Amino acid sequence: MTDSEFKEGTDIMKIPSLFGKGKTVFSFEVFPPKNTTPIETVYSTLDALKELSPDFISVTYGARGTSADTATCDIASYIQNDLGITSAAHLTCVYSSKELVLERLKQLKERNVENILALRGDINPEIPRLHDFEYASDLTKFIKENGDFHVSGACYPECHFEAKSMAEDIRNLKRKVDAGAGHLMSQLFFDNSSFYSFLEKADIAGIDVPIEAGIMPVVNANQIRRMVSVSGASLPAKFSKIIQRYENNPEALRDAGIAYAIDQIVDLISNGVDGIHLYTMNNPYVARKISESIRSML
């Protein structure tokens, strides 16, 4: 497919235009396969997710720090141009130079991908970081200055683990929005009250862009331990009891995790949340079970 065919055949939508239409936005996140696995393996997952009619699909940043590795861009292009679904590509900056970011923007623009989730990225103490961008707000500003892209940002209902306080974290989030982030997707959480409290603080700070609730259905015990250690999300007693009771029964834990996620989403939709961003973990079965349960409520 040529660049001209991209432009003629694809209806590009900036993510903010999906909001404010009297419905709850429902989106998915997928990730590129491991470097040793062919990229085509994710396409069957995406074909299955297309049947669920998400409003958009975001693709995590799976690059290895070179301009030759275009997995995220290629997958976002497939979503946008082959499936006809609005896509968003993640882009991190902690190990990226300005030159590499400009190359990424060029690649995305050529493929009609015009939505980017700008992230700082995780810091690995064993890898020397670059300092062209210190924070996601710096990357956000740079993207807005170098192309007609919509930029989304991440937010942390239970506070970023490196922030000294929630007040500091909210100030940093406001700085990110002021730099050009027109939509926010939250880190996963398991206690909706934490999300509602966060929304109140964001509103008081003057953050007035759509905020999607990030929901991850936990389907195995190792997954939850890994994600909690990375994200710092707290585990409500109700959720912990589910893990303890079913961790040695994979099928029961999967079904209980799906049921818990559905319960969270029903409550969030009932309280008028802007959107639900489902971390699919590239699992179409789980995404389908949840989508079928909440579709009539969106």
Side-chain angles (χ1 to χ4, degrees):
M1 189 178 285
T2 66
D3 292 349
S4 62
E5 286 174 326
F6 285 147
K7 295 174 182 176
E8 291 172 4
T10 306
D11 182 19
I12 303 171
M13 295 192 72
K14 300 289 178 67
I15 286 176
S17 70
L18 298 169
F19 293 86
K21 297 182 177 180
K23 66 180 291 292
T24 306
V25 169
F26 188 49
S27 60
F28 294 154
E29 181 174 293
V30 299
F31 55 82
K34 295 180 179 179
N35 295 333
T36 55
T37 305
I39 190 173
E40 288 77 16
T41 59
V42 77
Y43 292 160
S44 60
T45 294
L46 291 167
D47 291 342
L49 293 177
K50 178 186 178 180
E51 298 177 5
L52 306 179
S53 302
D55 291 299
F56 72 89
I57 300 177
S58 72
V59 186
T60 65
Y61 194 62
R64 291 164 290 185
T66 69
S67 59
D69 190 337
T70 61
T72 298
C73 181
D74 293 340
I75 295 169
S77 175
Y78 181 78
I79 294 166
Q80 181 78 50
N81 300 296
D82 293 85
L83 300 184
I85 298 172
T86 297
S87 67
H90 293 208
L91 185 58
T92 64
C93 66
V94 66
Y95 298 113
S96 296
S97 65
K98 290 182 178 179
E99 291 74 20
L100 178 58
V101 171
L102 288 173
E103 177 64 21
R104 289 277 183 261
L105 297 183
K106 179 176 180 290
Q107 292 164 351
L108 292 170
K109 178 64 71 174
E110 287 174 348
R111 292 163 174 80
N112 272 2
V113 177
E114 298 197 352
N115 297 287
I116 297 173
L117 175 59
L119 304 163
R120 186 196 68 177
D122 298 328
I123 295 177
N124 184 338
E126 297 180 0
I127 302 176
R129 63 166 297 181
L130 300 180
H131 294 280
D132 285 14
F133 308 97
E134 294 297 328
Y135 305 105
S137 55
D138 300 325
L139 176 60
T140 298
K141 184 174 184 291
F142 186 79
I143 294 171
K144 297 298 290 186
E145 291 172 345
N146 287 279
D148 182 26
F149 292 94
H150 158 71
V151 182
S152 296
C155 58
Y156 302 85
E158 297 180 90
C159 189
H160 192 283
F161 68 94
E162 293 182 13
K164 296 178 181 178
S165 66
M166 177 60 85
E168 178 186 75
D169 200 31
I170 292 290
R171 285 195 296 272
N172 291 336
L173 183 61
K174 181 63 164 61
R175 189 174 297 115
K176 190 186 302 184
V177 171
D178 290 344
H183 156 249
L184 300 171
M185 291 183 266
S186 90
Q187 176 62 277
L188 63 92
F189 59 92
F190 301 102
D191 185 346
N192 285 3
S193 63
S194 297
F195 185 73
Y196 298 141
S197 177
F198 163 77
L199 290 181
E200 291 179 1
K201 294 179 175 66
D203 183 60
I204 292 171
I207 296 170
D208 59 356
V209 299
I211 301 177
E212 280 193 274
I215 299 296
M216 175 175 286
V218 175
V219 296
N220 67 69
N222 289 334
Q223 177 194 29
I224 182 57
R225 294 189 182 100
R226 182 173 63 254
M227 296 311 302
V228 168
S229 67
V230 171
S231 69
S234 61
L235 296 180
K238 176 182 176 181
F239 189 81
S240 296
K241 289 178 181 177
I242 291 174
I243 301 296
Q244 293 167 7
R245 182 173 180 84
Y246 300 117
E247 65 177 328
N248 296 316
N249 185 337
E251 184 176 352
L253 181 56
R254 179 199 66 192
D255 292 344
I258 291 172
Y260 190 92
I262 291 171
D263 185 59
Q264 273 193 279
I265 293 170
V266 170
D267 180 73
L268 289 162
I269 294 174
S270 299
N271 280 277
V273 69
D274 293 324
I276 302 293
H277 189 61
L278 188 68
Y279 297 105
T280 70
M281 302 303 290
N282 291 18
N283 190 324
Y285 173 85
V286 174
R288 178 175 295 279
K289 285 293 186 180
I290 292 174
S291 297
E292 290 175 346
S293 297
I294 57 95
R295 179 60 62 185
S296 64
M297 307 172 199
L298 296 174

